[in-house]
Amino acid sequence: GQNIDQPTEMTATEGAIVQINCTYQTSGFNGLFWYQQHAGEAPTFLSYNVLDGLEEKGRFSSFLSRSKGYSYLLLKELQMKDSASYLCAAGGYQKVTFGIGTKLQVIP
Amino acid sequence: GAVVSQHPSWVICKSGTSVKIECRSLDFQATTMFWYRQFPKQSLMLMATSNEGSKATYEQGVEKDKFLINHASLTLSTLTVTSAHPEDSSFYICSANYGGQGNTIYFGEGSWLTVV
């Protein structure tokens, strides 16, 4: 089975940097996903980490440590539009399990 | 890029009736699609795995006779909520893997179902 933990809520200031952590305990782990979900909308793919290390995509970066069962999503130069829920998900080709999501509020 | 489309986006139905939601992969073939349900302030919960040309695989606790899934082609999966009840009101989302190793999962836009 899968067990995924991430903070429920976070608040950060516009222009700042925020790190959203995720720990997981899974069987059949292939990779770690991060999704952004605005209220009332479907999730949007952000990143997929298979190997250990940091992957950067513009303002968003994602890190994975397979040995520690740990990942984080790093958001730089926060913008108001980044206010959303960020879902950590672990799994592989056939099945992905989602965490409850971290609701990020960006304040001026 | 790969796009998964869902229809309808919003649907209101009377209790006891059936509702069909479609999920289409628009520019790629998807032998496997997934159906999720998300209640307010909760995470996505996998309901079933839809397999083209064969029966769907349901998660524990999901009634297969109530949530009928048909994956008749490589680009279309349908979810039919039969004999809908108000507690079935939820956000239903489908997804499909793009890329052989599942390195990208794309979601449909989601369908809001309200049963009155």
Side-chain angles (χ1 to χ4, degrees), chain A residues 9-13 78 80 82-84 102-107:
Chain A
E9 294 181 348
M10 297 182 72
T11 301
T13 306
L78 280 173
M80 298 300 291
D82 296 331
S83 294
T102 299
K103 186 176 181 181
L104 173 66
Q105 183 180 12
V106 180
I107 58 177

Side-chain angles (χ1 to χ4, degrees), chain B residues 66-83:
Chain B
K66 180 172 180 63
F67 299 99
L68 301 179
I69 291 173
N70 184 279
H71 196 151
S73 76
L74 288 171
T75 59
L76 174 64
S77 175
T78 61
L79 169 68
T80 301
V81 182
T82 63
S83 187

Side-chain angles (χ1 to χ4, degrees), chain A residues 30 33 35 37 39-45 47-48 50 87-88 92-101 103, chain B residues 31-32 34 36 38 41-44 46 49 59 91 93 97 99-105 107-110 112:
Chain A
N30 282 358
F33 299 84
Y35 285 84
Q37 186 178 26
E41 299 181 8
T44 303
F45 173 80
S47 65
Y48 177 62
V50 176
L87 308 177
C88 171
Y93 181 72
Q94 285 300 323
K95 192 169 181 177
V96 175
T97 301
F98 287 83
I100 196 167
K103 186 176 181 181
Chain B
T31 55
T32 304
F34 304 90
Y36 294 84
Q38 186 177 34
K41 298 185 179 181
Q42 295 187 24
S43 185
L44 294 162
L46 179 65
T49 302
E59 295 300 300
F91 189 46
I93 311 174
N97 289 0
Q101 296 303 314
N103 56 335
T104 304
I105 297 176
F107 286 88
E109 301 95 332
W112 283 100

